[in-house]
Amino acid sequence: MYQLNDLLHLMARLRDPQYGCPWDLKQDYASIVPHTIEEAYEVADAIERGDFDHLPGELGDLLFQVVYYSQLAKEEGRFEFAGVVDAITRKLVRRHPHVFPDGDLYGAPDMARLEEAAIKQRWEEIKAEERAEKASAPEQLSLLDDVPTALPALSRAAKLQKRAAQVGFDWPEALPVIDKLREELDEVLEAMSENDPQAIADEVGDLLFVVVNLARHLKVDPETALRSANGKFERRFRFIEEALREAGRPIEDCTLEELDALWGEAKKQEKLSLGC
């Protein structure tokens, strides 16, 4: 069975200036990023579908992205894969003082178990200390500084809100967020009545931001929830297509009422399959 060193060797061969792969030799950090994002989503998709037979392959594809960046950095004399492993290990040892009290990865696990709330509080304190250490101008440090701009918009909105909540900038519970949701919906309707495209886009963005806030208060991951809703829509729409195909009717010839009736049938079939 191949080992990690074999994968690192393979990567170096692919990037060999004389004998390597022409496609791989053309790549740089920026060109690999879209592949990294895609591979991460494929891992998430395999887990959500319970496809554990293919999960090792998807995780391997994601690992290869890390190996790729490390090879590029090695060629430029920046760092190597071993540095990546060292950095994440040191970070996780530092962020888990309740597991590694003396900072020793192989130290005896002899500490009393802490409550989850205390662990979470200490985790956030350590992360805040790390952000302060990274800041070139501490007096200008923002809680939001290291929230990646490349995150999916829903995930980034939730992370921004979570950071702001750490200093009390948040609603105390979900019900006031629902009131805000109604307020934002009214503002969308107002922008629509004025037929102002830019205002409509702005208000829809505000509406989505508040929906994310509601999800956060209800302890629902918005990105996961929307992926689930996408999957639900896709299943039901495919049911409609299949039903019309069997009936020999083009979907374009159906009325909205007919399509809506089939949508209801799709929902009914889903409930039956779940034993509801």
Side-chain angles (χ1 to χ4, degrees), residues 37-266:
I37 295 171
E38 180 180 343
E39 299 300 352
Y41 275 112
E42 289 185 2
V43 168
D45 181 63
I47 292 172
E48 288 174 3
R49 290 186 290 105
D51 187 3
F52 295 103
D53 288 340
H54 290 95
L55 183 57
E58 300 298 350
L59 289 169
D61 291 341
L62 186 58
L63 172 62
F64 185 65
Q65 304 302 304
V66 180
V67 170
Y68 215 124
Y69 293 121
S70 300
Q71 177 63 29
L72 294 174
K74 180 179 179 180
E75 292 169 9
E76 298 173 356
R78 298 177 185 274
F79 58 84
E80 298 187 21
F81 184 81
V84 176
V85 175
D86 179 71
I88 186 59
T89 304
R90 288 178 183 277
K91 179 190 292 184
L92 292 177
V93 168
R94 183 172 62 249
R95 289 186 179 180
H96 292 81
H98 52 288
V99 178
F100 310 104
D102 56 1
D104 182 359
L105 176 62
Y106 296 101
D110 57 359
M111 278 194 71
R113 184 174 295 276
L114 298 179
E115 293 294 327
E116 185 175 346
I119 293 173
K120 183 178 180 181
Q121 180 180 353
R122 183 55 187 146
W123 175 276
E124 295 298 341
E125 289 172 353
I126 293 171
K127 287 174 66 177
E129 292 168 3
E130 291 173 358
R131 288 196 295 272
E133 290 172 2
K134 289 180 181 179
S136 57
E139 68 277 3
Q140 297 176 358
L141 182 66
S142 168
L143 275 173
L144 312 179
D145 277 349
D146 63 342
V147 179
T149 56
L151 280 174
L154 290 178
S155 296
R156 188 164 194 267
K159 204 168 186 70
L160 290 170
Q161 294 166 7
K162 182 181 176 182
R163 286 288 177 82
Q166 291 178 12
V167 292
F169 192 67
D170 194 16
W171 281 284
E173 56 184 0
L175 286 178
V177 187
I178 293 177
D179 292 335
K180 182 64 175 177
L181 199 58
R182 295 191 180 102
E183 177 186 326
E184 294 296 347
L185 185 56
D186 287 340
E187 291 182 6
V188 171
L189 293 171
E190 181 181 349
M192 289 171 61
S193 69
E194 296 173 356
N195 197 28
D196 183 340
Q198 184 57 56
I200 291 172
D202 289 345
E203 298 302 343
V204 168
D206 292 344
L207 180 64
L208 289 170
F209 194 81
V210 178
V211 168
V212 171
N213 223 324
L214 178 62
R216 183 175 57 85
H217 275 272
L218 297 176
K219 302 189 184 310
V220 172
D221 177 70
E223 196 73 29
T224 301
L226 185 56
R227 280 203 302 271
S228 177
N230 288 343
K232 187 190 303 179
F233 176 86
E234 184 176 2
R235 288 193 306 273
R236 293 175 181 175
F237 191 79
R238 288 179 184 274
F239 176 91
I240 293 173
E241 290 178 314
E242 181 61 25
L244 291 173
R245 203 160 23 242
E246 291 178 357
R249 295 191 60 193
I251 193 170
E252 297 84 356
D253 293 348
C254 297
T255 65
L256 181 57
E257 289 74 17
E258 290 173 320
L259 295 176
D260 194 51
L262 286 170
W263 181 270
E265 182 63 25

